[in-house]
Amino acid sequence: MVGQMVGANSTRSFGTGGRRGGQYGFSRQSRENTLASGRRRIQEVAALMRLGTHFVDAAHRLFTVAVEKNFVQGRRRAHVIAACLYTSCRQEKSQHMLIDFSDALQINVYTLGTCFLKFRRLLGLKLEIIDPALYIYRFAAHLSLDEKANQVAMTALRLVARMKRDWIVAGRRPAGICAAALLIASRAHGFERQHHDVTKVLRVCGLTVMNRVKEFESTPSAGLTLDEFHKNDIEGEVDPPRFTQNRIREARAKAIADNNVELLTSGALDNPRMKGKNASRWRRPRTTTEHEKQYAEMYQEVETELKDTLEESDNIGEPGTEPKDESAISFRRAEQHPENHHGISTLHAEIRYPRGPNKRPVILPNQATADELRPSTQKAEEKLNFEEWKTGVPDEAADELACFFRSDDEVREREAVFNAQNKEYIETQQQKENDRLLAEAASKAKLEDEAAQEEKRGQYLKKSRKRKGGDPNELTTEEALLEVVRTRKISRKINYDALSNLFDDTGNFSLLDDKGKKEEEAEGIGMV
């Protein structure tokens, strides 16, 4: 018999000799070749990223799952391998970012990000949010901080922790938080570092770093010295930056609606993150670009032509028809109409109505619709009281919803009708349940009977050993054989009476003694 090698992930053996399929050498399945080449490629990328073997093993397991789920079909192998390695790095909480794989493989970072998100969604992985503190020591070593690199890193770690408590980290990319923390910490320790010094190392946008720095400047911790920041810890937390900006926009919109010119021009509603003229820039009239002017003129011409066409059709039509409303003819959005959200004119300029992040006018709480202001009809309890709920149903919908609810009497009537129509089925199910209970009772009685017989047999054997003068704890040949038969759960198939006849009173085999007696009798007869 010749043995053959079967791999751990293989479904059949392969040999090193012979010719199969027109090729010499090893013969494997396509899936095995894919996994083997994938592992080699993972090892190459891991060597470029200086990752250990446990990252390679974890990435290869993920790559195996990707192959089984056909995730590699239609995608470049490098994209899938980068997604597997980055997933293993996220699980192990290493200091590698997706842009590092993009630089190593010379692939667009957004392409790798798309592949990673699809792979994560396919496997249903729940990866924890990256902590910006993981990158502090890594990037602090690239800022030329000399012997103070450790001190700057420690200050940056405290800054990241403070930003977490002040809701600056939530919803932001970790690279931007890390860049802002390193920039503030390096300046606090006397290093003249600019935005481009950290952006070039962490590869983030300079505007992002400036926004994070300005958000930290709005917190009470920004007014502390370096020693006070390390020794004292301010209790409490501030509101999230986006929450504060939205409240300021709502206050401006309310002041414009109330025609409160004094509040608008006092500077109390200026942007706290800006300084000088930039803080009051929201009060200046917005300059229209040339591109917007061209689009406005084009829309105006189209509206004019459409109105003229409709007027001509109305003149040609019947004399009794009413002209159409001109207000229905518009290519502008609802918020672009000047009659919906007016600004307010001051002595120097006109303050425009504020807009939100979606570029639409801010809606105040008192401007909500009647449906939005209506209290919820759902109670906090887990069980809903349908009778009270019905009282809140509108009259026009009460008739439509009446067929979905039944009273207790109707429920009993329906149950009686169901039992009458399915009488045979209910009786059959009841009979099956009774038979099951009887079978369980019989099985239980049988087990109890067998246990009682086993106990009596043990008592009999113990008394028999005492009567024969032997050791009660020492088993005879008969008892040993019976014990083996009993432990193998086949005692019901053996005739114990016939088995007892095999042994004599001393416990030895009686067949051997009978055979010896017969041989002696035969010899005596021969001598006679």
Side-chain angles (χ1 to χ4, degrees), residues 313-322:
S313 63
D314 291 339
N315 296 331
I316 297 174
E318 297 179 359
T321 57
E322 297 180 357

Side-chain angles (χ1 to χ4, degrees), residues 350-401:
E350 182 180 357
I351 300 176
R352 61 184 182 274
Y353 195 87
R355 297 177 180 271
N358 55 358
K359 305 302 181 183
R360 295 191 177 187
V362 175
I363 298 177
L364 297 176
N366 57 357
Q367 296 176 349
T369 61
D371 293 336
E372 293 174 347
L373 295 176
R374 181 183 299 175
S376 178
T377 58
Q378 180 68 33
K379 288 192 173 183
E381 293 81 1
E382 295 181 358
K383 187 175 181 181
L384 181 65
N385 191 342
F386 289 106
E387 297 299 331
E388 296 182 2
W389 181 80
K390 288 180 184 178
T391 58
V393 177
D395 297 336
E396 57 272 10
D399 296 337
E400 298 179 1
L401 296 176

